[in-house]
Amino acid sequence: MSLILYAYNRNKRNPLSFGPVSTGGVLELTQIVSRAFDIGLSSLTDPQAAGPRAAVPTQTSENRNSSARSFYIETFGCQMNVHDSEKVAGVLLERGYRPVDAAADADFLLYNTCSIREKAAQKVFQRLNDFKFAAKANQKVIGVLGCVAQQEGEEIFERAPWVSLVCGSPSYRNLPNLIEQVESGGRRVTGLDLDTDETFETEITRRDNPFRAYLTIIEGCDYSCSYCVVPHTRGPERSRASDSILAEVRRLADAGYTEIQLLGQTVNSYRDPSPRKWNFVDLLLAVAEIEGIRRVRFTTSHPNDFTREIVEAIDATPALCDHIHLPVQSGSTRILREMRRTYAREQYLEKISWIHGARRQFSLTTDVIVGFPGETEADFEATLTLLDAIQSDGVFAFKYSPRPNTPSLAMPDAIPEEEKSRRLAILNERQRQIQIARNEKLIGARFEVLVDTHHTARNQWAGRTTSNRIVNFSTSRENLLGQYVQVHITRSAPNSLIGEEVQGGEAQ
Ligand code: 5AD
Ligand code: SF4
């Protein structure tokens, strides 16, 4: 028997995973599926069962009541958005709402949006049109959250008058208050304040990944990359106090989580606002020391704040995962300057040399934008040679997408769409070859894998290494979900490894 707890939306382009080399990021980011995430009831109640015990009270006496108001959240975008939705779900559970697994069944329908590229933003109004009839016919309450909410603001009410709530992420801390206004009949309720130094913390977070707990340590962004909407939609940087972070990690460890992922748009510029004044490395080491925590990941790092100390800390601390996601965006110093990335090609390469020189075999992933205004063939070639030099294990490559309120919108020499597509295809193929060669070298290696998937049809298991590589493997054992196992690699593919469990080599 299983219990569907809450609509879970898996971001197929999670920049933390070794997904396929992007086939044109614009499309892929908007192809996020919304599906029910089915957690076995036993895993919530049976301490021996796979995965952690319930991280939070998932069913209160109120939300167990089927007459309670129901909610559904549909999420697009990055891991930060996915985790924001988990926290928003926590706010609703606290207020007695009941989660349902289909938009059609919900009294309160929330749509958490992404505007990083144009197509993602366009989708929002198409999707809101889908909700129009339901809103009118069934008196559903519709709310728009996230980056498009912040960017478009009250304009959303003009284009979709059936929407009752528009709230950007900097105002989520006011959500209980805003929801109360909607409950008492408010029809154009907004939370669009950018001017806040508080972070969004909730008593309850409805966590949907049973094996990896996400935790935001810093919100917003103080950089001003010329192509990027994030500083406009998520506001300035606000770090969360270290004692509050550590307390949450301890609660997660008590609930059975062994893997934690720290989140932030620029996670490594973390600055503890409390008198301890910890920097990012201080925090990393403290989280890694918490009993029960076996893996600590973080994303996304900004090259400007990426220090040698981070590499040294990971080298010296097995619980810190040896995977770095370090977006470069371009291999051309000229384009990096136009992008206002604050570093040159050589400085990026220097940081990569620290990673290559580490004792542990780190994996590296990066983001690249092709077709930025004025990008010449020589600039593009510089990006290709940079990929050859850094030998990364995954590249998330996107065609440049002009965004409102960004400096690059007005830049001359736009690259035609077909040319952007051509460059993207070349880059993806080049990177595919790099990954094929890198993964082939791992045949014969042994990895510890945290098992998170069982492919029942072919009786194969899958999970992640500390370096975030996907490993598919076979074994004669059963009930492996949530277990750490040792796997011997026998074959490789561009985006994953294949192997067999080392019998008698169980890690726990
Ligand atoms: N066009 C294309 N890609 C973009 N990104 C951010 N803004 C844009 C844009 N306007 C990409 C960057 C970033 C990733 C999350 O999205 O590569 O690292
Ligand atoms: Fe956007 Fe640049 Fe901030 Fe990243 S560092 S969120 S790309 S402005």
Side-chain angles (χ1 to χ4, degrees), residues 220-267:
C221 177
D222 278 352
Y223 285 94
S224 48
C225 302
S226 61
Y227 52 81
C228 186
V229 285
V230 168
H232 305 280
T233 57
R234 289 193 164 263
E237 263 177 28
R238 287 101 57 205
S239 289
R240 190 174 159 193
S242 55
D243 51 357
S244 151
I245 296 170
L246 295 182
E248 187 167 352
V249 176
R250 274 187 218 107
R251 281 199 301 274
L252 289 165
D254 287 346
Y257 278 99
T258 59
E259 183 171 313
I260 301 289
Q261 179 142 348
L262 307 178
L263 297 176
Q265 304 290 342
T266 53
V267 76

Side-chain angles (χ1 to χ4, degrees), residues 410-482:
M411 285 182 184
D413 303 323
I415 307 297
E417 208 48 37
E418 316 78 73
E419 179 58 16
K420 286 189 214 169
S421 301
R422 188 186 73 86
R423 291 182 190 180
L424 186 66
I426 292 172
L427 186 145
N428 281 336
E429 181 50 30
R430 182 93 151 233
Q431 178 60 25
R432 207 174 84 89
Q433 296 305 326
I434 291 171
Q435 287 174 215
I436 288 172
R438 284 183 66 72
N439 283 353
E440 265 172 12
K441 287 194 196 131
L442 297 174
I443 294 174
R446 176 175 167 159
F447 285 105
E448 183 176 83
V449 172
L450 170 55
V451 185
D452 57 24
T453 309
H454 185 206
H455 301 292
T456 28
R458 53 181 201 265
N459 194 23
Q460 219 185 21
W461 301 83
R464 300 260 174 180
T465 65
T466 162
S467 50
N468 214 28
R469 294 185 166 90
I470 295 172
V471 177
N472 295 294
F473 66 97
S474 44
T475 178
S476 54
R477 291 203 301 145
E478 286 177 3
N479 298 327
L480 290 182
L481 286 178

Side-chain angles (χ1 to χ4, degrees), residues 57 74 163 242 248 297-298 354-355 364 389 459 463 470 495 500:
E74 188 164 303
V163 170
S242 55
E248 187 167 352
R297 306 185 180 282
F298 55 89
W354 303 335
I355 295 172
L364 171 72
N459 194 23
I470 295 172
N495 298 303
E500 279 155 22

Side-chain angles (χ1 to χ4, degrees), residues 116-117 227-228 327 329 367-369 398-403:
I116 196 118
R117 281 167 289 272
Y227 52 81
C228 186
Q329 314 299 1
D367 293 348
V368 169
I369 298 176
F398 309 100
K399 293 190 273 188
Y400 168 72
S401 170
R403 306 307 301 122

Side-chain angles (χ1 to χ4, degrees), residues 34-48:
S34 175
R35 67 176 185 88
F37 186 67
D38 198 355
I39 302 177
L41 183 62
S42 58
S43 74
L44 295 175
T45 51
D46 175 4
Q48 302 302 320

Side-chain angles (χ1 to χ4, degrees), residues 96-345:
Y97 280 79
R98 176 174 58 92
V100 289
D101 65 315
D105 299 335
D107 303 317
F108 192 13
L109 214 159
L110 285 162
Y111 188 29
N112 193 355
T113 61
C114 169
S115 66
I116 196 118
R117 281 167 289 272
E118 194 180 3
K119 287 211 178 143
Q122 278 170 1
K123 275 253 162 138
V124 171
F125 287 100
Q126 287 166 21
R127 192 72 183 125
L128 286 178
N129 269 330
D130 297 343
F131 298 153
K132 179 178 174 182
F133 176 73
K136 289 192 170 161
N138 308 332
Q139 311 247 301
K140 273 187 205 311
V141 176
I142 314 278
V144 181
L145 307 176
C147 291
V148 176
Q150 189 67 47
Q151 188 177 288
E152 301 293 324
E154 305 205 9
E155 176 66 20
I156 291 178
F157 297 130
E158 303 305 321
R159 291 181 63 180
W162 52 96
V163 170
S164 302
L165 169 70
V166 171
C167 180
S169 69
S171 302
Y172 288 165
R173 71 196 190 292
N174 292 334
L175 263 178
N177 178 9
L178 300 174
I179 292 169
E180 202 172 305
Q181 289 178 41
V182 172
E183 283 166 349
S184 46
R187 275 302 163 260
R188 281 187 166 215
V189 178
T190 54
L192 295 169
D193 197 2
L194 261 187
D195 197 19
T196 171
D197 49 5
E198 287 173 50
T199 53
F200 175 36
E201 297 193 29
T202 56
E203 286 287 303
I204 294 181
T205 298
R206 175 45 274 151
R207 285 196 160 77
D208 302 299
N209 183 327
F211 307 112
R212 181 186 283 183
Y214 296 95
L215 203 141
T216 305
I217 63 164
I218 175 169
E219 291 173 9
C221 177
D222 278 352
Y223 285 94
S224 48
C225 302
S226 61
Y227 52 81
C228 186
V229 285
V230 168
H232 305 280
T233 57
R234 289 193 164 263
E237 263 177 28
R238 287 101 57 205
S239 289
R240 190 174 159 193
S242 55
D243 51 357
S244 151
I245 296 170
L246 295 182
E248 187 167 352
V249 176
R250 274 187 218 107
R251 281 199 301 274
L252 289 165
D254 287 346
Y257 278 99
T258 59
E259 183 171 313
I260 301 289
Q261 179 142 348
L262 307 178
L263 297 176
Q265 304 290 342
T266 53
V267 76
N268 52 345
S269 61
Y270 175 81
R271 283 261 161 269
D272 186 1
S274 75
R276 271 174 178 159
K277 292 197 174 357
W278 277 357
N279 66 18
F280 179 61
V281 171
D282 298 330
L283 181 73
L284 268 186
L285 293 172
V287 171
E289 265 178 21
I290 291 176
E291 208 182 318
I293 297 302
R294 290 177 64 157
R295 287 183 173 183
V296 182
R297 306 185 180 282
F298 55 89
T299 201
T300 292
S301 299
H302 190 290
N304 197 45
D305 302 304
F306 190 79
T307 58
R308 199 190 274 269
E309 286 69 45
I310 297 176
V311 178
E312 287 167 357
I314 294 173
D315 243 352
T317 318
L320 297 180
C321 291
D322 47 7
H323 166 221
I324 305 288
H325 182 65
L326 198 62
V328 65
Q329 314 299 1
S330 171
S332 154
T333 296
R334 194 183 70 81
I335 294 293
L336 289 171
R337 205 179 307 118
E338 296 290 308
M339 289 177 162
R340 303 191 187 162
R341 284 294 288 177
T342 74
Y343 54 86
R345 173 189 174 99

